[in-house]
Structures are given as structure tokens and as C-alpha cells.
Amino acid sequence: KQQQEEFSLITENMQEGLIVIDRYTMILSANSSAWSLFRVDKVSQGESVYCLDRAEDFRHAIEQVLGGEHAELILKLNGSDIQLIANPVIRGQKTEGAVILFVNVTEKLERENLRREFSANVSHELKTPLMSISGYAELMMNGMVGEDKVPEFSGRIYHEASRLSSLVSDIIQLSRLDEKNSDMPFEAVDIYELAEDIVYHLQPSAEKKQISLVLEGEHVAVRGIRQVLYEMFYNIADNAIRYTDAGGTVRVFAGQEGHHPCYFVEDNGIGIPKNEQRRIFERFYRVDKSHSRQT
């Protein structure tokens, strides 16, 4: 009885779902996490595990494990990805039943998909300037560029090399920010001062597009990493200018909003549709793919 109570205590505190079945697919034991994953009330002992999921792949996995083999698959349950790991319980040469573990791997799979997408995007972004540099250099090397065109071609090579260097710097910065044991110091940072500096540096590009760039607010301090905050704030304001048509307005605010320090950028540009807004923090994600690579 004591061993049963200890086993029950352990399994009930597991985040993973656990089900034990006999050789006839009947449920002998299960924890509450398993019921939560399948969104069912507690199933009575002696009912078939098939009452939880009648999908063909689930049935095949149960048949496989009761045949004496290890079984694994990803189940789609109520919008989540659940990994099923099943091992047979064998006594002598005979399979007496199986232990089935259910693990929610939704976040893990999403991270893996993001990593794959990120790698593909990085490869594509780096490949474009490299191909341009290689193409221009090959033409010059083979004497296919007139002397009067050499400054133009060398200028293009320099421009693409600068773009490549900037991309590499961004990727290195992303890697540094991903490291949990980052040595970048937290300090008191006046976000209005940062906003002033950002507006000063972005004013020429705003004037070039005849965009009115306005700064509002007041001095207010937050604790943070100055360099990271600056880059983050700069990118938001820079994007607003890039995606606002000529003659538009970009308003930058840094100060106190209610009881909290606040930084926001408002513009009358193309905007981001509601159904795309959940993706704004994905790396290299762009709503409008038709915009030029320069944008």
C-alpha cells in the first residue's frame, strides 16, 4: 500500500501523461496529466485505451508496442503536438502490457521550425550580396568592364561588401543575445536621451523622404542594457521611416505613460495587418515580401 501511494504521488506530480495498459489494451493505471492532455474525465480502469483516441496512427502504435516493440509518434491533440513514447512490459518471452508516456512538445517543435526558418533566411540573406560581389569581380577579372565603368563596379562591390558585413554583425549580435550567461551590464538608462540620439541620426533619412520626424516626451530612466535598448528603439523608428511613404509623419515618444516608462513609435505608413502581428518578433520575418531587398 505504501509503495502504491508513493508511485501515485510521483505520477500525479508529473507534467507528462502516463498510462499503463494490459495486453488487451485495457487501462490499468493513469495519471491526471494524461486525462488533461486528452481532455476527458477520468476513464474507469478496465476501459480500452482506444476510447481516448481512435486515430489509425494511435491504434498502430498500440498494436506495435503490444507486439513487443518500442513505439513513438507525434499526436495532434486539441491543437498541441504530443509525443507518444510506448514501451512493452515483457515477462519471460511474453508481452504482458505497455507503459505509455505522453509529452507536450509543441514549443520544442515550434522552436525547431523557427531555427530551420532562421537558418534558411540567413543563408539566403548572405548568399545575395556574395553572388553580387562574385559576379562583379569576375567581370572585372576577365576584362569585360571598360575603364570608365571600373569605379561604378568597384563601388557596387564595396556597397555589397558593406551590406554583407552588416548582416554578419547582426547575426553575431543575435548569437550574443541568445546566450543566457551574457556579460552585458544592466544600468540606469535614460530612454529619452536614447530617443533624442536616435531621432538625430534618423533625421537625414526622414528628410530625404520628406517625412516629418517628431520627438515627444520627457526624461525617464529604466534599468537595462544601454546598447540593446538603443538598437531595439532605433530599429523600431528606422522601420517606421522605411515603411512610411513620402510626405508621411513618424512620431517618437519616450517618457512616462501612466505609472510606467514607455517608448513608442507611431506612423501613418503601411501598417501591419492584425493576422500578421503575432509574428513581429520572428527573425527576418517580413509582412510584404514584394518590397525591395534594399528596404
Side-chain angles (χ1 to χ4, degrees), residues 151-196:
E152 181 190 339
F153 272 60
S154 58
R156 288 180 184 177
I157 289 172
Y158 177 79
H159 173 75
E160 293 295 343
S162 299
R163 189 169 147 216
L164 188 61
S165 176
S166 175
L167 279 167
V168 171
S169 296
D170 284 348
I171 291 161
I172 291 169
Q173 175 72 340
L174 282 169
S175 298
R176 284 181 63 203
L177 292 173
D178 275 345
E179 292 172 10
K180 290 183 180 177
N181 299 322
S182 175
D183 58 354
M184 289 190 275
F186 271 69
E187 57 184 310
V189 182
D190 187 327
I191 60 172
Y192 186 79
E193 278 184 13
L194 293 186
E196 279 183 316

mmCIF file of all heavy atoms in Angstrom, residues 151-196:
data_model
loop_
_atom_site.group_PDB
_atom_site.id
_atom_site.type_symbol
_atom_site.label_atom_id
_atom_site.label_comp_id
_atom_site.label_asym_id
_atom_site.label_seq_id
_atom_site.Cartn_x
_atom_site.Cartn_y
_atom_site.Cartn_z
ATOM 1 N N PRO A 151 35.111 52.314 -61.745
ATOM 2 C CA PRO A 151 34.680 52.947 -60.483
ATOM 3 C C PRO A 151 33.264 52.537 -60.075
ATOM 4 O O PRO A 151 32.994 52.299 -58.902
ATOM 5 C CB PRO A 151 34.749 54.445 -60.796
ATOM 6 C CG PRO A 151 35.742 54.557 -61.895
ATOM 7 C CD PRO A 151 35.547 53.317 -62.728
ATOM 8 N N GLU A 152 32.363 52.437 -61.099
ATOM 9 C CA GLU A 152 30.971 52.050 -60.796
ATOM 10 C C GLU A 152 30.913 50.622 -60.250
ATOM 11 O O GLU A 152 30.248 50.354 -59.252
ATOM 12 C CB GLU A 152 30.132 52.155 -62.071
ATOM 13 C CG GLU A 152 28.670 51.793 -61.845
ATOM 14 C CD GLU A 152 27.891 51.657 -63.148
ATOM 15 O OE1 GLU A 152 28.323 52.206 -64.174
ATOM 16 O OE2 GLU A 152 26.846 50.970 -63.116
ATOM 17 N N PHE A 153 31.631 49.693 -60.904
ATOM 18 C CA PHE A 153 31.608 48.298 -60.481
ATOM 19 C C PHE A 153 32.273 48.112 -59.113
ATOM 20 O O PHE A 153 31.793 47.359 -58.279
ATOM 21 C CB PHE A 153 32.278 47.407 -61.539
ATOM 22 C CG PHE A 153 31.341 46.939 -62.608
ATOM 23 C CD1 PHE A 153 30.670 47.869 -63.411
ATOM 24 C CD2 PHE A 153 31.098 45.591 -62.824
ATOM 25 C CE1 PHE A 153 29.789 47.462 -64.398
ATOM 26 C CE2 PHE A 153 30.215 45.168 -63.802
ATOM 27 C CZ PHE A 153 29.563 46.109 -64.598
ATOM 28 N N SER A 154 33.395 48.796 -58.915
ATOM 29 C CA SER A 154 34.078 48.683 -57.612
ATOM 30 C C SER A 154 33.211 49.284 -56.501
ATOM 31 O O SER A 154 33.201 48.805 -55.373
ATOM 32 C CB SER A 154 35.451 49.356 -57.647
ATOM 33 O OG SER A 154 35.329 50.719 -58.011
ATOM 34 N N GLY A 155 32.448 50.318 -56.846
ATOM 35 C CA GLY A 155 31.512 50.919 -55.881
ATOM 36 C C GLY A 155 30.410 49.941 -55.494
ATOM 37 O O GLY A 155 30.032 49.840 -54.327
ATOM 38 N N ARG A 156 29.918 49.186 -56.498
ATOM 39 C CA ARG A 156 28.886 48.180 -56.218
ATOM 40 C C ARG A 156 29.442 47.074 -55.324
ATOM 41 O O ARG A 156 28.764 46.598 -54.417
ATOM 42 C CB ARG A 156 28.383 47.572 -57.531
ATOM 43 C CG ARG A 156 27.523 48.526 -58.353
ATOM 44 C CD ARG A 156 27.068 47.851 -59.628
ATOM 45 N NE ARG A 156 26.319 48.763 -60.477
ATOM 46 C CZ ARG A 156 25.858 48.437 -61.675
ATOM 47 N NH1 ARG A 156 26.070 47.219 -62.158
ATOM 48 N NH2 ARG A 156 25.193 49.309 -62.404
ATOM 49 N N ILE A 157 30.688 46.657 -55.613
ATOM 50 C CA ILE A 157 31.332 45.620 -54.784
ATOM 51 C C ILE A 157 31.480 46.119 -53.346
ATOM 52 O O ILE A 157 31.181 45.393 -52.385
ATOM 53 C CB ILE A 157 32.707 45.228 -55.373
ATOM 54 C CG1 ILE A 157 32.516 44.437 -56.678
ATOM 55 C CG2 ILE A 157 33.512 44.392 -54.367
ATOM 56 C CD1 ILE A 157 33.793 44.170 -57.442
ATOM 57 N N TYR A 158 31.903 47.369 -53.202
ATOM 58 C CA TYR A 158 32.070 47.952 -51.853
ATOM 59 C C TYR A 158 30.719 48.006 -51.126
ATOM 60 O O TYR A 158 30.623 47.659 -49.943
ATOM 61 C CB TYR A 158 32.658 49.360 -51.966
ATOM 62 C CG TYR A 158 32.782 50.056 -50.632
ATOM 63 C CD1 TYR A 158 33.838 49.749 -49.762
ATOM 64 C CD2 TYR A 158 31.839 51.001 -50.221
ATOM 65 C CE1 TYR A 158 33.952 50.372 -48.524
ATOM 66 C CE2 TYR A 158 31.934 51.615 -48.988
ATOM 67 C CZ TYR A 158 32.995 51.296 -48.144
ATOM 68 O OH TYR A 158 33.102 51.909 -46.925
ATOM 69 N N HIS A 159 29.668 48.403 -51.851
ATOM 70 C CA HIS A 159 28.332 48.503 -51.253
ATOM 71 C C HIS A 159 27.836 47.128 -50.778
ATOM 72 O O HIS A 159 27.336 46.991 -49.658
ATOM 73 C CB HIS A 159 27.355 49.076 -52.289
ATOM 74 C CG HIS A 159 25.927 49.060 -51.839
ATOM 75 N ND1 HIS A 159 25.428 49.951 -50.910
ATOM 76 C CD2 HIS A 159 24.889 48.242 -52.178
ATOM 77 C CE1 HIS A 159 24.149 49.682 -50.685
ATOM 78 N NE2 HIS A 159 23.795 48.651 -51.449
ATOM 79 N N GLU A 160 28.003 46.106 -51.621
ATOM 80 C CA GLU A 160 27.555 44.753 -51.263
ATOM 81 C C GLU A 160 28.385 44.179 -50.113
ATOM 82 O O GLU A 160 27.871 43.465 -49.260
ATOM 83 C CB GLU A 160 27.618 43.827 -52.485
ATOM 84 C CG GLU A 160 26.627 44.164 -53.589
ATOM 85 C CD GLU A 160 25.185 43.977 -53.170
ATOM 86 O OE1 GLU A 160 24.917 43.303 -52.170
ATOM 87 O OE2 GLU A 160 24.292 44.512 -53.860
ATOM 88 N N ALA A 161 29.702 44.479 -50.113
ATOM 89 C CA ALA A 161 30.582 44.007 -49.024
ATOM 90 C C ALA A 161 30.162 44.641 -47.696
ATOM 91 O O ALA A 161 30.157 43.977 -46.648
ATOM 92 C CB ALA A 161 32.034 44.331 -49.331
ATOM 93 N N SER A 162 29.798 45.930 -47.736
ATOM 94 C CA SER A 162 29.330 46.618 -46.523
ATOM 95 C C SER A 162 28.042 45.994 -46.017
ATOM 96 O O SER A 162 27.849 45.801 -44.816
ATOM 97 C CB SER A 162 29.092 48.109 -46.807
ATOM 98 O OG SER A 162 30.283 48.723 -47.212
ATOM 99 N N ARG A 163 27.147 45.638 -46.963
ATOM 100 C CA ARG A 163 25.881 45.009 -46.596
ATOM 101 C C ARG A 163 26.131 43.641 -45.972
ATOM 102 O O ARG A 163 25.501 43.255 -44.979
ATOM 103 C CB ARG A 163 25.027 44.880 -47.857
ATOM 104 C CG ARG A 163 23.613 44.439 -47.591
ATOM 105 C CD ARG A 163 22.787 44.593 -48.843
ATOM 106 N NE ARG A 163 21.780 43.533 -48.872
ATOM 107 C CZ ARG A 163 21.368 42.936 -49.949
ATOM 108 N NH1 ARG A 163 21.882 43.244 -51.108
ATOM 109 N NH2 ARG A 163 20.441 42.011 -49.895
ATOM 110 N N LEU A 164 27.072 42.896 -46.545
ATOM 111 C CA LEU A 164 27.427 41.577 -46.029
ATOM 112 C C LEU A 164 27.991 41.692 -44.615
ATOM 113 O O LEU A 164 27.632 40.928 -43.717
ATOM 114 C CB LEU A 164 28.452 40.931 -46.961
ATOM 115 C CG LEU A 164 28.825 39.469 -46.716
ATOM 116 C CD1 LEU A 164 27.610 38.573 -46.860
ATOM 117 C CD2 LEU A 164 29.908 39.031 -47.685
ATOM 118 N N SER A 165 28.869 42.672 -44.425
ATOM 119 C CA SER A 165 29.475 42.893 -43.102
ATOM 120 C C SER A 165 28.404 43.236 -42.067
ATOM 121 O O SER A 165 28.443 42.756 -40.932
ATOM 122 C CB SER A 165 30.502 44.033 -43.199
ATOM 123 O OG SER A 165 31.026 44.339 -41.942
ATOM 124 N N SER A 166 27.431 44.047 -42.481
ATOM 125 C CA SER A 166 26.350 44.439 -41.577
ATOM 126 C C SER A 166 25.504 43.228 -41.181
ATOM 127 O O SER A 166 25.128 43.069 -40.016
ATOM 128 C CB SER A 166 25.469 45.493 -42.266
ATOM 129 O OG SER A 166 24.368 45.810 -41.470
ATOM 130 N N LEU A 167 25.223 42.353 -42.152
ATOM 131 C CA LEU A 167 24.452 41.136 -41.872
ATOM 132 C C LEU A 167 25.178 40.224 -40.893
ATOM 133 O O LEU A 167 24.586 39.695 -39.955
ATOM 134 C CB LEU A 167 24.189 40.376 -43.174
ATOM 135 C CG LEU A 167 23.035 40.870 -44.053
ATOM 136 C CD1 LEU A 167 23.112 40.222 -45.423
ATOM 137 C CD2 LEU A 167 21.698 40.575 -43.410
ATOM 138 N N VAL A 168 26.487 40.053 -41.112
ATOM 139 C CA VAL A 168 27.286 39.201 -40.225
ATOM 140 C C VAL A 168 27.288 39.776 -38.813
ATOM 141 O O VAL A 168 27.155 39.047 -37.830
ATOM 142 C CB VAL A 168 28.720 39.038 -40.769
ATOM 143 C CG1 VAL A 168 29.610 38.342 -39.753
ATOM 144 C CG2 VAL A 168 28.707 38.249 -42.079
ATOM 145 N N SER A 169 27.420 41.103 -38.706
ATOM 146 C CA SER A 169 27.400 41.758 -37.381
ATOM 147 C C SER A 169 26.078 41.513 -36.677
ATOM 148 O O SER A 169 26.039 41.256 -35.471
ATOM 149 C CB SER A 169 27.627 43.269 -37.533
ATOM 150 O OG SER A 169 28.896 43.528 -38.054
ATOM 151 N N ASP A 170 24.971 41.582 -37.444
ATOM 152 C CA ASP A 170 23.637 41.334 -36.869
ATOM 153 C C ASP A 170 23.523 39.909 -36.343
ATOM 154 O O ASP A 170 22.970 39.673 -35.265
ATOM 155 C CB ASP A 170 22.549 41.569 -37.924
ATOM 156 C CG ASP A 170 22.303 43.053 -38.169
ATOM 157 O OD1 ASP A 170 22.805 43.864 -37.375
ATOM 158 O OD2 ASP A 170 21.620 43.375 -39.152
ATOM 159 N N ILE A 171 24.050 38.954 -37.123
ATOM 160 C CA ILE A 171 23.965 37.542 -36.721
ATOM 161 C C ILE A 171 24.797 37.291 -35.463
ATOM 162 O O ILE A 171 24.376 36.579 -34.549
ATOM 163 C CB ILE A 171 24.421 36.624 -37.880
ATOM 164 C CG1 ILE A 171 23.399 36.693 -39.018
ATOM 165 C CG2 ILE A 171 24.580 35.181 -37.416
ATOM 166 C CD1 ILE A 171 23.913 36.219 -40.343
ATOM 167 N N ILE A 172 25.988 37.902 -35.392
ATOM 168 C CA ILE A 172 26.837 37.773 -34.197
ATOM 169 C C ILE A 172 26.126 38.356 -32.987
ATOM 170 O O ILE A 172 26.121 37.780 -31.894
ATOM 171 C CB ILE A 172 28.204 38.455 -34.420
ATOM 172 C CG1 ILE A 172 29.022 37.667 -35.460
ATOM 173 C CG2 ILE A 172 28.985 38.569 -33.108
ATOM 174 C CD1 ILE A 172 30.255 38.386 -35.953
ATOM 175 N N GLN A 173 25.470 39.514 -33.198
ATOM 176 C CA GLN A 173 24.736 40.160 -32.099
ATOM 177 C C GLN A 173 23.582 39.276 -31.626
ATOM 178 O O GLN A 173 23.341 39.129 -30.420
ATOM 179 C CB GLN A 173 24.216 41.521 -32.575
ATOM 180 C CG GLN A 173 23.323 42.258 -31.584
ATOM 181 C CD GLN A 173 24.072 42.817 -30.400
ATOM 182 O OE1 GLN A 173 25.174 42.368 -30.093
ATOM 183 N NE2 GLN A 173 23.492 43.780 -29.726
ATOM 184 N N LEU A 174 22.858 38.665 -32.573
ATOM 185 C CA LEU A 174 21.763 37.752 -32.213
ATOM 186 C C LEU A 174 22.280 36.586 -31.385
ATOM 187 O O LEU A 174 21.663 36.177 -30.407
ATOM 188 C CB LEU A 174 21.086 37.219 -33.477
ATOM 189 C CG LEU A 174 20.110 38.157 -34.187
ATOM 190 C CD1 LEU A 174 19.732 37.592 -35.549
ATOM 191 C CD2 LEU A 174 18.861 38.374 -33.358
ATOM 192 N N SER A 175 23.438 36.050 -31.785
ATOM 193 C CA SER A 175 24.025 34.921 -31.050
ATOM 194 C C SER A 175 24.389 35.339 -29.632
ATOM 195 O O SER A 175 24.175 34.601 -28.673
ATOM 196 C CB SER A 175 25.280 34.416 -31.773
ATOM 197 O OG SER A 175 24.941 33.948 -33.051
ATOM 198 N N ARG A 176 24.932 36.546 -29.492
ATOM 199 C CA ARG A 176 25.305 37.041 -28.155
ATOM 200 C C ARG A 176 24.078 37.200 -27.268
ATOM 201 O O ARG A 176 24.086 36.855 -26.095
ATOM 202 C CB ARG A 176 26.018 38.395 -28.274
ATOM 203 C CG ARG A 176 27.459 38.299 -28.755
ATOM 204 C CD ARG A 176 28.090 39.668 -28.832
ATOM 205 N NE ARG A 176 28.166 40.305 -27.524
ATOM 206 C CZ ARG A 176 28.255 41.629 -27.340
ATOM 207 N NH1 ARG A 176 28.238 42.440 -28.376
ATOM 208 N NH2 ARG A 176 28.330 42.132 -26.139
ATOM 209 N N LEU A 177 23.002 37.721 -27.857
ATOM 210 C CA LEU A 177 21.779 37.933 -27.080
ATOM 211 C C LEU A 177 21.128 36.613 -26.699
ATOM 212 O O LEU A 177 20.408 36.533 -25.713
ATOM 213 C CB LEU A 177 20.789 38.790 -27.877
ATOM 214 C CG LEU A 177 21.198 40.245 -28.105
ATOM 215 C CD1 LEU A 177 20.220 40.926 -29.040
ATOM 216 C CD2 LEU A 177 21.279 41.005 -26.796
ATOM 217 N N ASP A 178 21.357 35.564 -27.503
ATOM 218 C CA ASP A 178 20.795 34.244 -27.207
ATOM 219 C C ASP A 178 21.486 33.559 -26.041
ATOM 220 O O ASP A 178 20.944 32.643 -25.442
ATOM 221 C CB ASP A 178 20.891 33.341 -28.442
ATOM 222 C CG ASP A 178 19.706 33.559 -29.371
ATOM 223 O OD1 ASP A 178 18.728 34.170 -28.917
ATOM 224 O OD2 ASP A 178 19.779 33.132 -30.531
ATOM 225 N N GLU A 179 22.727 33.998 -25.752
ATOM 226 C CA GLU A 179 23.469 33.362 -24.665
ATOM 227 C C GLU A 179 22.889 33.814 -23.334
ATOM 228 O O GLU A 179 22.841 35.003 -23.036
ATOM 229 C CB GLU A 179 24.957 33.729 -24.740
ATOM 230 C CG GLU A 179 25.664 33.131 -25.951
ATOM 231 C CD GLU A 179 27.082 33.672 -26.110
ATOM 232 O OE1 GLU A 179 27.554 34.352 -25.173
ATOM 233 O OE2 GLU A 179 27.687 33.426 -27.157
ATOM 234 N N LYS A 180 22.457 32.854 -22.537
ATOM 235 C CA LYS A 180 21.828 33.205 -21.256
ATOM 236 C C LYS A 180 22.825 33.847 -20.298
ATOM 237 O O LYS A 180 22.482 34.688 -19.492
ATOM 238 C CB LYS A 180 21.203 31.957 -20.626
ATOM 239 C CG LYS A 180 19.982 31.474 -21.377
ATOM 240 C CD LYS A 180 19.340 30.284 -20.712
ATOM 241 C CE LYS A 180 18.109 29.840 -21.506
ATOM 242 N NZ LYS A 180 17.484 28.643 -20.952
ATOM 243 N N ASN A 181 24.083 33.401 -20.375
ATOM 244 C CA ASN A 181 25.103 33.938 -19.475
ATOM 245 C C ASN A 181 25.791 35.147 -20.100
ATOM 246 O O ASN A 181 26.996 35.225 -20.181
ATOM 247 C CB ASN A 181 26.147 32.866 -19.144
ATOM 248 C CG ASN A 181 25.518 31.675 -18.452
ATOM 249 O OD1 ASN A 181 24.621 31.843 -17.636
ATOM 250 N ND2 ASN A 181 25.977 30.476 -18.777
ATOM 251 N N SER A 182 24.965 36.081 -20.579
ATOM 252 C CA SER A 182 25.522 37.273 -21.226
ATOM 253 C C SER A 182 26.188 38.165 -20.181
ATOM 254 O O SER A 182 25.704 38.340 -19.071
ATOM 255 C CB SER A 182 24.399 38.040 -21.925
ATOM 256 O OG SER A 182 24.897 39.241 -22.451
ATOM 257 N N ASP A 183 27.344 38.740 -20.562
ATOM 258 C CA ASP A 183 28.082 39.584 -19.611
ATOM 259 C C ASP A 183 27.757 41.064 -19.804
ATOM 260 O O ASP A 183 28.433 41.927 -19.261
ATOM 261 C CB ASP A 183 29.593 39.346 -19.757
ATOM 262 C CG ASP A 183 30.088 39.621 -21.172
ATOM 263 O OD1 ASP A 183 29.240 39.882 -22.051
ATOM 264 O OD2 ASP A 183 31.313 39.566 -21.395
ATOM 265 N N MET A 184 26.723 41.384 -20.601
ATOM 266 C CA MET A 184 26.375 42.789 -20.829
ATOM 267 C C MET A 184 25.731 43.360 -19.566
ATOM 268 O O MET A 184 24.802 42.765 -19.021
ATOM 269 C CB MET A 184 25.448 42.912 -22.037
ATOM 270 C CG MET A 184 26.160 42.630 -23.354
ATOM 271 S SD MET A 184 25.175 43.031 -24.807
ATOM 272 C CE MET A 184 24.239 41.527 -24.988
ATOM 273 N N PRO A 185 26.215 44.511 -19.099
ATOM 274 C CA PRO A 185 25.781 45.032 -17.790
ATOM 275 C C PRO A 185 24.435 45.753 -17.826
ATOM 276 O O PRO A 185 24.132 46.477 -18.768
ATOM 277 C CB PRO A 185 26.899 46.023 -17.440
ATOM 278 C CG PRO A 185 27.389 46.508 -18.771
ATOM 279 C CD PRO A 185 27.228 45.369 -19.732
ATOM 280 N N PHE A 186 23.658 45.566 -16.771
ATOM 281 C CA PHE A 186 22.431 46.341 -16.576
ATOM 282 C C PHE A 186 22.799 47.644 -15.877
ATOM 283 O O PHE A 186 23.650 47.658 -14.984
ATOM 284 C CB PHE A 186 21.429 45.556 -15.716
ATOM 285 C CG PHE A 186 20.519 44.675 -16.517
ATOM 286 C CD1 PHE A 186 21.009 43.554 -17.166
ATOM 287 C CD2 PHE A 186 19.168 44.979 -16.627
ATOM 288 C CE1 PHE A 186 20.169 42.740 -17.915
ATOM 289 C CE2 PHE A 186 18.307 44.162 -17.373
ATOM 290 C CZ PHE A 186 18.814 43.047 -18.007
ATOM 291 N N GLU A 187 22.138 48.731 -16.263
ATOM 292 C CA GLU A 187 22.411 50.034 -15.645
ATOM 293 C C GLU A 187 21.172 50.912 -15.799
ATOM 294 O O GLU A 187 20.221 50.550 -16.495
ATOM 295 C CB GLU A 187 23.622 50.693 -16.329
ATOM 296 C CG GLU A 187 23.431 50.872 -17.836
ATOM 297 C CD GLU A 187 24.670 51.438 -18.515
ATOM 298 O OE1 GLU A 187 25.183 52.443 -18.011
ATOM 299 O OE2 GLU A 187 25.096 50.873 -19.534
ATOM 300 N N ALA A 188 21.193 52.070 -15.150
ATOM 301 C CA ALA A 188 20.102 53.028 -15.309
ATOM 302 C C ALA A 188 20.281 53.728 -16.655
ATOM 303 O O ALA A 188 21.337 54.304 -16.930
ATOM 304 C CB ALA A 188 20.128 54.045 -14.173
ATOM 305 N N VAL A 189 19.254 53.663 -17.502
ATOM 306 C CA VAL A 189 19.331 54.235 -18.846
ATOM 307 C C VAL A 189 18.198 55.234 -19.040
ATOM 308 O O VAL A 189 17.026 54.903 -18.812
ATOM 309 C CB VAL A 189 19.229 53.128 -19.930
ATOM 310 C CG1 VAL A 189 19.363 53.734 -21.325
ATOM 311 C CG2 VAL A 189 20.267 52.043 -19.716
ATOM 312 N N ASP A 190 18.548 56.460 -19.434
ATOM 313 C CA ASP A 190 17.545 57.486 -19.728
ATOM 314 C C ASP A 190 17.043 57.241 -21.145
ATOM 315 O O ASP A 190 17.751 57.479 -22.124
ATOM 316 C CB ASP A 190 18.164 58.881 -19.615
ATOM 317 C CG ASP A 190 17.121 59.991 -19.750
ATOM 318 O OD1 ASP A 190 16.142 59.806 -20.500
ATOM 319 O OD2 ASP A 190 17.297 61.049 -19.110
ATOM 320 N N ILE A 191 15.802 56.743 -21.275
ATOM 321 C CA ILE A 191 15.307 56.371 -22.603
ATOM 322 C C ILE A 191 14.997 57.593 -23.466
ATOM 323 O O ILE A 191 14.995 57.499 -24.707
ATOM 324 C CB ILE A 191 14.087 55.422 -22.523
ATOM 325 C CG1 ILE A 191 12.913 56.053 -21.787
ATOM 326 C CG2 ILE A 191 14.473 54.103 -21.886
ATOM 327 C CD1 ILE A 191 11.631 55.215 -21.862
ATOM 328 N N TYR A 192 14.760 58.767 -22.829
ATOM 329 C CA TYR A 192 14.522 59.978 -23.629
ATOM 330 C C TYR A 192 15.816 60.405 -24.311
ATOM 331 O O TYR A 192 15.809 60.838 -25.470
ATOM 332 C CB TYR A 192 13.968 61.109 -22.763
ATOM 333 C CG TYR A 192 13.581 62.342 -23.572
ATOM 334 C CD1 TYR A 192 12.370 62.368 -24.274
ATOM 335 C CD2 TYR A 192 14.419 63.436 -23.660
ATOM 336 C CE1 TYR A 192 12.006 63.474 -25.030
ATOM 337 C CE2 TYR A 192 14.071 64.548 -24.418
ATOM 338 C CZ TYR A 192 12.866 64.563 -25.104
ATOM 339 O OH TYR A 192 12.518 65.665 -25.868
ATOM 340 N N GLU A 193 16.949 60.262 -23.596
ATOM 341 C CA GLU A 193 18.256 60.579 -24.202
ATOM 342 C C GLU A 193 18.529 59.674 -25.402
ATOM 343 O O GLU A 193 19.029 60.116 -26.432
ATOM 344 C CB GLU A 193 19.376 60.419 -23.163
ATOM 345 C CG GLU A 193 19.548 61.613 -22.259
ATOM 346 C CD GLU A 193 20.732 61.435 -21.302
ATOM 347 O OE1 GLU A 193 21.539 60.508 -21.513
ATOM 348 O OE2 GLU A 193 20.832 62.225 -20.355
ATOM 349 N N LEU A 194 18.196 58.376 -25.235
ATOM 350 C CA LEU A 194 18.361 57.444 -26.351
ATOM 351 C C LEU A 194 17.505 57.889 -27.535
ATOM 352 O O LEU A 194 17.967 57.887 -28.684
ATOM 353 C CB LEU A 194 17.948 56.024 -25.934
ATOM 354 C CG LEU A 194 18.789 55.280 -24.898
ATOM 355 C CD1 LEU A 194 18.275 53.855 -24.754
ATOM 356 C CD2 LEU A 194 20.259 55.251 -25.276
ATOM 357 N N ALA A 195 16.255 58.245 -27.256
ATOM 358 C CA ALA A 195 15.331 58.664 -28.316
ATOM 359 C C ALA A 195 15.845 59.913 -29.028
ATOM 360 O O ALA A 195 15.747 60.025 -30.262
ATOM 361 C CB ALA A 195 13.940 58.908 -27.736
ATOM 362 N N GLU A 196 16.415 60.858 -28.265
ATOM 363 C CA GLU A 196 16.990 62.073 -28.867
ATOM 364 C C GLU A 196 18.094 61.717 -29.853
ATOM 365 O O GLU A 196 18.154 62.256 -30.968
ATOM 366 C CB GLU A 196 17.568 62.987 -27.774
ATOM 367 C CG GLU A 196 16.542 63.843 -27.058
ATOM 368 C CD GLU A 196 17.182 64.775 -26.052
ATOM 369 O OE1 GLU A 196 18.087 64.330 -25.305
ATOM 370 O OE2 GLU A 196 16.797 65.962 -26.002
#
